[in-house]
Amino acid sequence: MSSEKIARINALAKKAKVEGLTDEEKQEQLQLRTEYIAAFRASMIETLHAVKVIDPNGNDVTPKKLKDSKKKRLH
């Protein structure tokens, strides 16, 4: 997500606290927040796909759900 969009999210949030938003601004804020959350989730999933959990004995104890998700991503 671009820094301009993040700045706009912050500007709308500040304006909402100070003076309120018009209906169009509320719609824009909702759309930008939805886009931000989608980008955040995608980033988090990519981060999790890079994780490998190792116990103190050196055994791979990565949860099965994460391993399965990694396999699906590769195919």
Side-chain angles (χ1 to χ4, degrees):
M1 175 164 247
S2 70
S3 58
E4 292 85 17
K5 287 185 178 183
I6 292 172
R8 182 64 179 154
I9 290 170
N10 292 331
L12 287 170
K14 184 177 181 180
K15 184 178 179 189
K17 289 179 185 177
V18 174
E19 59 190 79
L21 299 175
T22 65
D23 288 338
E24 289 115 14
E25 289 171 330
K26 288 178 185 177
Q27 283 298 101
E28 180 185 8
Q29 184 182 42
L30 178 63
Q31 186 268 331
L32 287 170
R33 284 180 173 175
T34 302
E35 187 178 334
Y36 177 82
I37 290 169
F40 177 84
R41 286 180 177 159
S43 175
M44 182 58 70
I45 288 170
E46 287 301 313
T47 299
L48 287 174
H49 283 153
V51 170
K52 185 175 185 179
V53 182
I54 305 294
D55 71 6
N57 297 326
N59 300 315
D60 182 0
V61 292
T62 305
K64 182 180 181 331
K65 186 175 181 180
L66 181 57
K67 286 181 182 179
D68 292 344
S69 178
K70 287 180 184 181
K71 286 179 186 176
K72 287 181 185 176
R73 185 177 136 233
L74 296 175
H75 295 289

